Amino acid sequence: MHYLHKILVNVAELKEQEGHKPSKEDVRYFAESSTEDYYMRAFDWRETDSAGRWKDEYPKQVYFAKDNIGWFLQELERVLASQKHEIDCCLKEISKYGETDLNKIANGLWNITDMFDKTKPGYNDFTAYYLSKLGKLLHGEYISDSMFFNASACTARLYQNDIEQIKAAPQDWALVMFDYHN
């Protein structure tokens, strides 16, 4: 499947590293190099020269917050909504069989006889998978379902404080759009 990933870049930090005002290409390259170590975790193939399948929606690929702070914040709200949706889906799958107590889930998973054990409803390989995915999303590990990466903080979590920093200094931030496959 293809996923649109949005990479948040702190342009002010990049400017300090480069010693000059970074161009769109500098920002795009920084986003690409900051995420290349996530091959086989967040993507198995990606388009980084454009937004790929989303190039009609994101023709510029690199967007500076200072150019349109309202649009930029709206994109970040979409990231938050997407991440919350993924978390809610994991919770739904974990509690599909009515169990929400983490101790009971852990004990139930520990006591299955093998990954195909059907004797304990709700405790199977998929339960463990969604529990793991939930932990990764909440921890900020960069995976395909994160669909976002903050290159400055090296996390896939978008926090409210990040949004406040962007509002306070929009000239310091950019988003780069990549088409990922996983």
Side-chain angles (χ1 to χ4, degrees):
M1 281 195 84
H2 284 262
Y3 302 90
L4 175 68
H5 278 240
K6 299 173 183 180
I7 314 303
L8 182 65
V9 175
N10 185 318
V11 179
E13 289 176 5
L14 186 56
K15 183 178 180 180
E16 288 174 19
Q17 292 175 9
E18 298 290 322
H20 60 83
K21 181 182 173 187
S23 67
K24 281 187 176 187
E25 183 57 30
D26 292 333
V27 173
R28 189 210 60 76
Y29 178 76
F30 182 78
E32 180 181 11
S33 61
S34 296
T35 55
E36 66 188 9
D37 288 343
Y38 296 96
Y39 172 69
M40 297 310 290
R41 286 184 277 172
F43 60 91
D44 62 9
W45 173 90
R46 66 183 179 163
E47 168 64 39
T48 59
D49 291 331
S50 74
R53 292 172 186 238
W54 290 270
K55 65 184 171 192
D56 289 341
E57 187 176 352
Y58 300 101
K60 294 182 190 177
Q61 187 188 21
V62 177
Y63 295 87
F64 294 96
K66 66 182 172 76
D67 294 342
N68 189 339
I69 187 65
W71 178 89
F72 199 91
L73 294 173
Q74 185 177 14
E75 287 298 311
L76 295 178
E77 290 298 327
R78 290 173 71 180
V79 167
L80 286 173
S82 173
Q83 289 185 341
K84 180 70 169 111
H85 174 75
E86 288 296 322
I87 288 167
D88 289 345
C89 285
C90 288
L91 289 170
K92 180 181 175 188
E93 289 299 319
I94 292 166
S95 63
K96 192 181 243 181
Y97 301 97
E99 190 54 68
T100 57
D101 183 295
L102 193 53
N103 286 321
K104 289 180 182 177
I105 293 170
N107 286 328
L109 288 170
W110 182 253
N111 290 314
I112 58 176
T113 58
D114 64 43
M115 65 188 288
F116 304 107
D117 183 353
K118 305 280 190 238
T119 62
K120 297 167 186 72
Y123 303 112
N124 57 50
D125 201 35
F126 284 114
T127 308
Y129 166 78
Y130 285 109
L131 192 58
S132 173
K133 182 177 169 182
L134 176 65
K136 288 175 183 179
L137 290 167
L138 291 171
H139 184 251
E141 288 183 40
Y142 191 34
I143 59 175
S144 61
D145 292 326
S146 304
M147 294 183 264
F148 171 83
F149 186 72
N150 180 336
S152 175
C154 294
T155 182
R157 281 286 306 272
L158 178 60
Y159 294 96
Q160 193 59 45
N161 191 46
D162 298 327
I163 293 172
E164 296 307 316
Q165 287 179 22
I166 293 164
K167 285 179 183 177
Q171 70 280 1
D172 292 346
W173 297 95
L175 272 176
V176 182
M177 311 303 183
F178 291 153
D179 178 352
Y180 280 17
H181 180 270
N182 197 4

